[in-house]
Amino acid sequence: MKDLKTIRGMPDLYDEDVERISIVENICLETFKSFNFQEFRTPIVENKTLFQRSVGESSDIIQKEVYEFEDRNGEILCLRPEGTAGLVRALITNGLMNDEIKKFFYLGPMFRYERPQKGRKRQFFQAGAELIGEESTKSDVEIILLAKTILEKLNVKYTLEINYLGKEDSLNSYRSYLRKYLQNFKDELSEKVYSRLQRNPIRAIDSKDSNIQEIFKKASDISDFLKKEEKESFERTIKSLKDLKIDFNLNKNLVRGLDYYTGTVFEFTVDGLGAQNAVIGGGRYDNLIKDLGGRDLPAIGFALGIDRLAEIINVTTRKKDIFIGSVDDDSINFAQYIGNKLRENIKGLVVENYLGNANVAKQLKKANSQGFKFAIIVGQEEQNTNSFKLKNLLDGSENTLNEIELVEFLNG
Ligand code: HAM
């Protein structure tokens, strides 16, 4: 039935897709917390003006990707396309603006009306981290270290690309320079493309279009427009990364697609995702909080594409611990008793109490195919003797254990 279709680019997620996404989410959560970042939850719906004033009127996101709608009160709202603007809005709304350094993280769905393809959806999930209130390169390094730690815990091979965009003055001079430079190519471009490039010439620098790449080949890059203190700041970041033995590529074309960036910008890219190879993007946004009406506080952060990463991680480890089957219906209560004893004694243990009617051989088959590490089958004999044959489903070995030994074994 046509009406019951999912929306393009917004797939239902189940089975292995959800498992992969949870693995990425859990590693993000664990790593954010280990760096002492605190969770922040903002609404999925915000006023569209928030993103016009932050992500930028001329950005692709505002030009063509926002899911917007008018509510019953005539307000123009939208589904959030990213998390930084909402978090900054929330800091201002809630008066969280003192001088203390603040470290927040968030996880959740974002929405962009882009052409769906591998690694790109219209509803996708991001995990983001924002470090507010520290201007020095120490915070650049802390944020990059956090991002890199997540990828390493996920066993993902990455490349870190890094660049430095100037503050407002330098960016404005660079923009004016590029607008003038582009005038030389006016005749070669259609009116539409020319006016798009004129509107946001910096963004066009990392265009995937080979004609546009050719045009920008001879243009100066942003580093020629940076002030002395900006160059020094970037050099300090580079030195710290080298001291910490963090490998990176300097990428002069890395300009990012959102307008709020000032200073250091970076992306982590991976193989195996085709054109959508950026799994993490971020940078410094020292003017955004002030521009949105808050205090003049510096900040840096990143967001990680959870679904994108979920597509490429290797899921080989068995996550489910023990399958408890039973010989017949009369043994199920005892199996449930044992299952709960194990759950009570071993934090986080994943225990399946099988409730169906399959025979023992089929139960063991199910345990295997569902990815359990161990299985026991409970019957009258196990109830009488309180001892169990623990089958290791990975190597086929067996161990006979009593209830206490079973807990100890699975706890080890
Ligand atoms: P972004 O580069 O637009 O930055 O998005 C960050 C990451 O989200 C991307 O590297 C990608 O992995 C994922 N992503 C973006 N769009 C899609 C999509 N359509 N489908 C799947 N994954 C996607 C931001 O959003 C900034 N708020 C990051 C930031 C935080 N900068 C400072 N603080």
Side-chain angles (χ1 to χ4, degrees):
M1 199 190 293
K2 191 165 177 283
D3 291 342
L4 293 182
K5 279 195 320 191
T6 50
I7 312 294
R8 188 160 130 81
M10 302 194 186
D12 295 316
L13 299 167
Y14 52 94
D15 284 354
E16 199 189 309
D17 287 343
V18 170
E19 213 176 294
R20 289 171 164 277
I21 282 181
S22 310
I23 291 172
V24 178
E25 281 175 348
N26 288 335
I27 297 272
C28 288
L29 272 174
E30 174 190 305
T31 318
F32 289 148
K33 288 181 182 167
S34 74
F35 275 71
N36 199 26
F37 279 60
Q38 314 293 320
E39 184 166 6
F40 211 115
R41 295 192 194 198
T42 62
I44 285 168
V45 176
E46 297 272 2
N47 281 302
K48 188 185 170 194
T49 48
L50 172 64
F51 300 102
Q52 290 168 305
R53 289 174 57 191
S54 53
V55 172
E57 208 50 88
S58 61
S59 65
D60 280 356
I61 292 181
I62 294 299
Q63 286 292 311
K64 50 187 188 196
E65 294 171 4
V66 169
Y67 277 90
E68 61 180 279
F69 59 96
E70 196 176 317
D71 76 1
R72 287 168 191 270
N73 203 22
E75 305 224 32
I76 305 298
L77 307 180
C78 71
L79 303 182
R80 60 183 184 190
E82 60 103 51
T84 309
L87 184 97
V88 168
R89 197 253 332 119
L91 296 180
I92 300 170
T93 314
N94 296 287
L96 301 169
M97 294 264 106
N98 61 25
D99 285 328
E100 290 293 317
I101 294 176
K102 290 177 191 46
K103 300 173 185 172
F104 293 115
F105 74 85
Y106 50 86
L107 267 101
M110 308 290 161
F111 302 84
R112 295 184 194 174
Y113 192 82
E114 295 186 88
R115 198 169 50 78
Q117 62 183 86
K118 190 171 170 61
R120 189 159 77 188
K121 308 238 186 74
R122 290 183 172 173
Q123 175 181 262
F124 58 99
F125 296 87
Q126 276 189 347
E130 314 287 354
L131 197 161
I132 318 282
E134 175 58 47
E135 191 174 13
S136 78
T137 54
K138 287 178 281 186
S139 56
D140 296 21
V141 173
E142 183 80 354
I143 275 290
I144 289 174
L145 211 52
L146 169 57
K148 159 185 137 63
T149 304
I150 294 175
L151 295 183
E152 279 167 8
K153 282 194 186 171
L154 286 167
N155 256 324
V156 168
K157 266 193 154 168
Y158 59 80
T159 306
L160 167 60
E161 311 261 340
I162 182 161
N163 194 16
Y164 192 93
L165 305 178
K167 303 222 188 289
E168 216 170 345
D169 283 353
S170 312
L171 280 173
N172 281 339
S173 334
Y174 188 43
R175 213 170 273 121
S176 308
Y177 156 77
L178 286 176
R179 286 197 173 117
K180 248 196 215 124
Y181 174 85
L182 279 169
Q183 285 171 6
N184 302 320
F185 302 89
K186 189 164 187 208
D187 298 340
E188 294 174 30
L189 296 161
S190 73
E191 213 175 302
K192 199 171 151 207
V193 172
Y194 182 74
S195 67
R196 180 165 55 81
L197 297 184
Q198 281 291 353
R199 202 165 31 206
N200 197 346
I202 296 181
R203 180 71 190 111
I205 283 180
D206 79 342
S207 169
K208 306 265 183 297
D209 180 324
S210 56
N211 292 331
I212 295 174
Q213 282 172 359
E214 196 54 42
I215 286 178
F216 280 104
K217 240 182 192 162
K218 291 210 177 85
S220 304
D221 55 54
I222 180 77
S223 57
D224 297 333
F225 293 80
L226 297 178
K227 297 195 173 126
K228 186 164 167 275
E229 62 273 17
E230 292 172 330
K231 284 186 179 157
E232 285 169 359
S233 168
F234 191 39
E235 275 156 19
R236 276 195 298 278
T237 301
I238 300 259
K239 180 174 181 314
S240 302
L241 293 178
K242 284 185 176 159
D243 288 349
L244 284 164
K245 308 225 171 337
I246 299 175
D247 290 334
F248 60 88
N249 287 343
L250 273 185
N251 179 352
K252 304 269 186 209
N253 292 337
L254 180 67
V255 289
R256 308 275 298 129
L258 305 97
D259 281 359
Y260 49 64
Y261 291 112
T262 53
T264 307
V265 286
F266 60 89
E267 278 182 3
F268 286 81
T269 57
V270 297
D271 290 336
L273 276 169
Q276 306 308 316
N277 65 350
V279 285
I280 294 183
R284 187 159 271 294
Y285 52 95
D286 289 341
N287 296 334
L288 182 62
I289 303 177
K290 182 181 59 175
D291 287 351
L292 289 179
R295 281 187 56 198
D296 188 2
L297 291 176
I300 180 163
F302 70 80
L304 166 155
I306 293 176
D307 336 45
R308 232 174 240 192
L309 265 170
E311 281 192 38
I312 54 155
I313 54 169
N314 273 329
V315 187
T316 46
T317 48
R318 292 195 175 206
K319 283 274 161 217
K320 298 176 185 174
D321 296 294
I322 180 163
F323 178 101
I324 306 182
S326 50
V327 172
D328 49 36
D329 267 4
D330 293 342
S331 314
I332 285 193
N333 282 160
F334 184 60
Q336 286 172 318
Y337 159 81
I338 290 295
N340 237 22
K341 260 272 138 37
L342 295 176
R343 291 187 195 98
E344 277 166 25
N345 282 289
I346 308 173
K347 197 171 164 255
L349 194 78
V350 179
V351 183
E352 161 81 3
N353 271 113
Y354 177 70
L355 304 176
N357 299 317
N359 65 30
V360 169
K362 281 206 176 128
Q363 289 183 36
L364 287 173
K365 247 191 180 162
K366 281 181 198 291
N368 229 326
S369 67
Q370 289 174 16
F372 284 89
K373 288 185 241 170
F374 297 104
I376 54 175
I377 304 289
V378 171
Q380 199 54 52
E381 195 187 326
E382 282 74 15
Q383 278 196 61
N384 296 340
T385 58
N386 202 18
S387 83
F388 310 89
K389 232 185 239 160
L390 181 74
K391 195 171 171 64
N392 182 326
L393 297 170
L394 297 172
D395 62 16
S397 62
E398 280 185 0
N399 245 337
T400 303
L401 304 166
N402 67 29
E403 194 178 312
I404 295 171
E405 289 166 340
L406 187 62
V407 170
E408 277 172 2
F409 184 93
L410 291 172
N411 223 349

